[in-house]
Amino acid sequence: MNEIPKTRWEQAETGGYAERFARLIDEGADVVGEARLADVLVRRGATILDAGAGMGRIGAELQRRGHTVVAAEKDPVLVADAATRYPDLPMVETDLLALTPALLRERDLPDAFDLVVLVGNVIVLAAPDTEQRLLLGLRDLLAPEGRILVGFHPVNGHGAARAYPFEEFAADAEAVGLVVQHRFGTYELHPPAEDYVVAVLSRR
Ligand SMILES: C[S@@+](CC[C@H](N)C(=O)[O-])C[C@H]1O[C@@H](n2cnc3c(N)ncnc32)[C@H](O)[C@@H]1O
């Protein structure tokens, strides 16, 4: 049960993600849409976990907006990228399945969050059959009124990603005591769509 399996991300050829975002950032492209939505979901100066943070683009933007942010990422190359690009972003190098309140306290970091940001296809790139376990672990990191913002392609996403129909995702969330409060099709709150899921989860 406590075994930590390899994520789909680790099992795949994933080179190019950090370079693509680095190029977009350097070109001045808008790469923080997820952070804008996350920002309106919380009070000013909230405590936010960027779960599966990659090279840190969303966590760093939320930090810039005045929130207390912790990033967690398993891929050591991306952790190193984040340290170079966003040296002030607190980063825990870990699998999300091993991210516990105790581990965060050990690092003198917050152990309960107003918002967990799980965007950029993290959930469809987690290890096979770990979605419920991952959501349960994140639920246990929520402050009393805390919520989880999730974003993923349910079909035709990243090459290594699984297909994850919204209904299956919602059932997995329900199974671990979470409920879908809102569902949209984009980070600009377009109606639910076939090709992208933006969901806000809360404790049931
Ligand atoms: C496409 S990247 C997106 C990164 C970032 N969220 C963003 O939007 O820029 C997907 C990330 O999910 C991370 N990931 C997937 N499953 C994970 C797990 N169980 N623990 C930690 N990170 C995980 C991968 O390591 C990878 O960095």
Side-chain angles (χ1 to χ4, degrees):
M1 180 63 189
N2 292 326
E3 185 200 333
I4 304 289
K6 275 198 169 164
T7 64
R8 291 177 192 272
W9 180 262
E10 287 173 285
Q11 293 178 40
E13 179 40 67
T14 51
Y17 150 82
E19 292 78 0
R20 182 166 66 88
F21 274 110
R23 194 175 58 247
L24 288 170
I25 291 165
D26 293 342
E27 288 168 4
D30 175 20
V31 294
V32 294
E34 299 95 325
R36 279 194 297 274
L37 178 56
D39 185 50
V40 302
L41 292 173
V42 290
R43 64 179 166 78
R44 300 306 82 197
T47 303
I48 300 179
L49 173 67
D50 186 1
M55 41 84 85
R57 67 189 172 103
I58 301 303
E61 175 63 17
L62 288 165
Q63 200 178 37
R64 195 186 68 74
R65 288 171 185 243
H67 302 295
T68 298
V69 179
V70 176
E73 169 56 49
K74 188 176 189 184
D75 182 335
V77 174
L78 296 181
V79 169
D81 279 354
T84 304
R85 190 168 280 270
Y86 307 113
D88 297 329
L89 179 66
M91 173 70 82
V92 183
E93 183 175 334
T94 181
D95 194 296
L96 294 174
L97 299 178
L99 184 64
T100 58
L103 175 64
L104 288 160
R105 280 195 298 273
E106 261 171 37
R107 311 270 173 105
D108 285 327
L109 293 167
D111 63 358
F113 297 89
D114 301 307
L115 186 71
V116 172
V117 175
L118 186 72
V119 300
N121 285 313
V122 176
I123 191 138
V124 289
L125 289 162
D129 300 319
T130 60
E131 295 83 4
Q132 284 192 15
R133 200 173 143 196
L134 192 150
L135 289 169
L136 177 64
L138 296 180
R139 189 205 67 180
D140 289 346
L141 291 170
L142 292 179
E145 300 296 322
R147 298 190 288 179
I148 307 177
L149 174 65
V150 191
F152 64 94
H153 285 97
V155 285
N156 299 329
H158 186 285
R162 62 162 292 186
Y164 199 22
F166 171 76
E167 293 70 22
E168 188 178 345
F169 160 71
D172 283 344
E174 288 267 345
V176 298
L178 293 164
V179 65
V180 178
Q181 243 182 17
H182 306 284
R183 178 190 174 186
F184 306 104
T186 68
Y187 291 101
E188 291 78 37
L189 309 190
H190 289 95
E194 292 298 311
D195 61 339
Y196 204 76
V197 171
V198 174
V200 179
L201 306 177
S202 63
R203 281 206 188 79
R204 194 169 45 234

